[in-house]
């Protein structure tokens, strides 16, 4: 099925020729299910992004209207309750899958040279996801959201000397308020997704360049270029 | 020797199908456990909220560092774990680097899972 779709696209858009060497690259025989965790995590991110875009059509990021707009999404908007549910769940699934993917990469020693930078890029996706979870939690602007953010942001206040300034920076004021909601909404829907897109682009670029390690015979890539940068390792 | 597999379509097909499993899982979870609408904020009464499950370990950690030590549980340990994960490639260098990195990685994972479980099973 994917073959059919890509062939159709290829005749119009030309996706195979510029990526030919990459796409037809021989992959190791022992690519098992754990080697799909990264792709699965990416799918979970795409689901978060798509459902988030849908929710942003109806959500109102203001102290007076946020909770009402959430109720509207759940009750009035067609399938709104389902889109909201999928958005919430995809975040949890994403965190589990990034963790599983990291474990697979670690066990196959794929964090070692020349792939150090790609491990770091991957760890950034985990931090960005956690930050998205934290900022997203405030957006419904309900009892749990408000107090969880109050407690969560107050943690920065424990830092000696800089604590007070840090808390103010996070909250956009002394306490959690409408200013915090605006700030978190901006982070959740603009800053963090933009950072994620950049980091993921770098992540995929490096996979393409360096190949996938550890699945070939003796833990090398089957093309015999196991550790060499230069792009002829498998995947 | 086994048949040679190429990235496309062999591997990509597999990833594509795995992606479907993710979509179905999110959909099934959302159907079974939809996101509820919360209560209006009570700005006056102090309320002790539980965070999302992926922050429960920090929530639990805070309790072990009361008063002036709070910064250890709130900032030092979480940020320290993050830095260790980020710099795993530096820890894992050299002959027995992978062993060192394994101990640190498994240690962090075990600590986070253990604290999460303690938080889940305590009120």
């Amino acid at each position: 099925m994917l073959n059919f779709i890509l062939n159709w696209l290829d005749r119009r858009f030309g996706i195979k020729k510029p990526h030919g060497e990459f796409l037809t690259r021989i992959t190791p025989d022992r690519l098992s299910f754990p080697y799909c965790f990264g792709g699965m995590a990416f799918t979970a991110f795409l689901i978060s992004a798509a459902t988030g875009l849908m929710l942003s059509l109806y959500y109102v990021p203001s102290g007076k209207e946020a909770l009402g707009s959430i109720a509207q999404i759940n009750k009035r908007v067609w399938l709104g309750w389902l889109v909201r549910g999928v958005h919430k769940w995809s975040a949890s699934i994403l965190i589990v899958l990034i963790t599983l993917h990291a474990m697979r990469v670690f066990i196959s020693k794929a964090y070692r040279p020349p792939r150090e930078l790609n491990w770091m890029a991957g760890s950034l996706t985990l931090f960005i996801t956690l930050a998205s979870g934290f900022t997203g939690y405030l957006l419904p602007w309900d009892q749990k959201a408000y107090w969880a953010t109050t407690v969560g942001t107050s943690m920065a206040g424990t830092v000696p000397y800089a604590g007070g300034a840090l808390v103010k920076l996070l909250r956009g004021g002394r306490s959690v308020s409408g200013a915090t909601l605006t700030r978190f909404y901006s982070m959740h829907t603009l800053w963090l997704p933009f950072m994620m897109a950049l980091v993921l682009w770098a992540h995929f670029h490096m996979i393409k360049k360096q190949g996938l390690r550890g699945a070939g015979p003796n833990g090398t890539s089957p093309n015999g270029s196991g550790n060499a940068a230069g792009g002829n390792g498998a995947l | 020797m086994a048949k040679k597999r190429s990235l496309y379509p062999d591997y990509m097909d597999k990833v594509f199908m795995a992606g479907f499993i993710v979509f179905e899982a999110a959909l099934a979870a959302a159907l079974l456990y939809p996101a509820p609408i919360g209560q209006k904020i009570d700005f006056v009464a102090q309320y002790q909220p539980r965070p999302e499950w992926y922050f429960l370990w920090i929530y639990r950690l805070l309790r072990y560092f009361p008063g002036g030590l709070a910064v250890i549980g709130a900032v030092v340990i979480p940020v320290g774990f993050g830095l260790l994960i980020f710099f795993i490639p530096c820890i894992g260098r050299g002959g027995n680097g992978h062993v060192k990195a394994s101990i640190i990685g498994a240690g962090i994972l075990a600590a986070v899972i253990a604290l999460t479980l303690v938080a889940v099973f305590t009120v």
Side-chain angles (χ1 to χ4, degrees):
Chain A
M1 172 148 99
L2 184 62
N3 211 359
F4 174 79
I5 297 168
L6 284 186
N7 278 332
W8 189 92
L9 268 175
D10 187 46
R11 283 194 295 276
R12 285 145 188 92
F13 195 78
I15 196 169
K16 275 189 194 166
K17 208 172 173 191
H19 295 79
E21 208 185 315
F22 169 65
L23 285 170
T24 55
R25 203 175 266 184
I26 301 303
T27 56
D29 295 327
R30 289 192 289 142
L31 277 188
S32 49
F33 186 63
Y35 281 79
C36 288
F37 287 148
M40 291 169 86
F42 182 54
T43 309
F45 167 70
L46 290 180
I47 294 169
S48 299
T51 51
L53 284 170
M54 291 179 208
L55 291 173
S56 74
L57 295 173
Y58 292 95
Y59 172 75
V60 184
S62 98
K64 281 196 179 121
E65 294 171 76
L67 185 56
S69 70
I70 294 284
Q72 194 88 340
I73 287 167
N74 261 35
K75 288 174 184 161
R76 297 263 175 87
V77 178
W78 185 63
L79 292 183
W81 63 276
L82 187 62
V83 172
R84 198 174 151 237
V86 171
H87 189 68
K88 200 170 157 61
W89 276 102
S90 65
S92 291
I93 292 172
L94 179 55
I95 289 168
V96 171
L97 286 172
I98 292 177
T99 308
L100 290 172
H101 175 56
M103 287 166 73
R104 193 286 291 166
V105 169
F106 186 87
I107 289 166
S108 57
K109 297 187 187 176
Y111 65 89
R112 295 190 124 186
R115 297 179 182 81
E116 313 99 305
L117 195 60
N118 218 11
W119 170 276
M120 291 173 172
S123 65
L124 287 181
T125 66
L126 176 62
F127 306 151
I128 294 169
T129 302
L130 290 173
S132 299
F134 184 67
T135 50
Y137 203 62
L138 178 68
L139 301 188
W141 199 246
D142 56 27
Q143 174 79 342
K144 262 168 99 180
Y146 179 85
W147 288 104
T149 303
T150 298
V151 174
T153 50
S154 74
M155 281 164 48
T158 60
V159 175
Y161 307 109
L166 279 174
V167 174
K168 230 174 156 182
L169 181 74
L170 287 171
R171 291 178 180 172
R174 281 190 180 281
S175 58
V176 176
S177 68
T180 321
L181 183 57
T182 304
R183 199 158 277 217
F184 274 39
Y185 181 68
S186 169
M187 287 291 156
H188 189 80
T189 60
L190 294 170
W191 293 65
L192 293 167
F194 180 70
M195 289 182 206
M196 188 64 127
L198 254 159
V199 173
L200 283 178
W201 170 79
H203 201 60
F204 294 148
H205 171 79
M206 282 186 270
I207 296 170
K208 215 176 132 181
K209 191 156 170 56
Q210 297 165 340
L212 189 144
R213 178 187 156 76
N218 308 321
T220 60
S221 307
N223 295 0
S225 59
N227 262 343
N232 43 357
L235 176 60
Chain B
M1 219 173 142
K3 174 187 169 286
K4 288 270 187 203
R5 290 169 207 281
S6 59
L7 177 67
Y8 166 85
D10 299 303
Y11 180 61
M12 293 286 264
D13 253 351
K14 219 171 166 181
V15 172
F16 200 64
M17 290 320 288
F20 259 113
I21 298 173
V22 175
F23 180 65
E24 313 240 310
L27 200 61
L31 283 165
L32 290 171
Y33 305 97
I37 302 168
Q39 307 240 296
K40 273 201 150 184
I41 304 169
D42 180 349
F43 291 97
V44 187
Q46 278 285 331
Y47 172 77
Q48 187 55 249
R50 282 170 83 83
E52 281 282 40
W53 65 268
Y54 44 84
F55 288 129
L56 274 177
W57 66 279
I58 302 177
Y59 175 78
R60 183 67 211 176
L61 197 56
L62 292 174
R63 300 200 176 192
Y64 299 119
F65 300 96
L69 296 174
V71 67
I72 298 173
V75 180
V76 176
I77 293 177
V79 172
F81 278 9
L83 287 173
L84 284 172
I85 290 169
F86 186 83
F87 287 109
I88 281 277
C90 306
I91 301 163
R93 273 171 185 283
N96 59 353
H98 188 66
V99 178
K100 265 193 279 176
S102 301
I103 292 166
I104 288 171
I108 290 174
L109 195 66
V112 169
I113 290 173
L115 285 164
T116 304
L117 288 176
V118 172
V120 167
F121 292 111
T122 50
V123 187

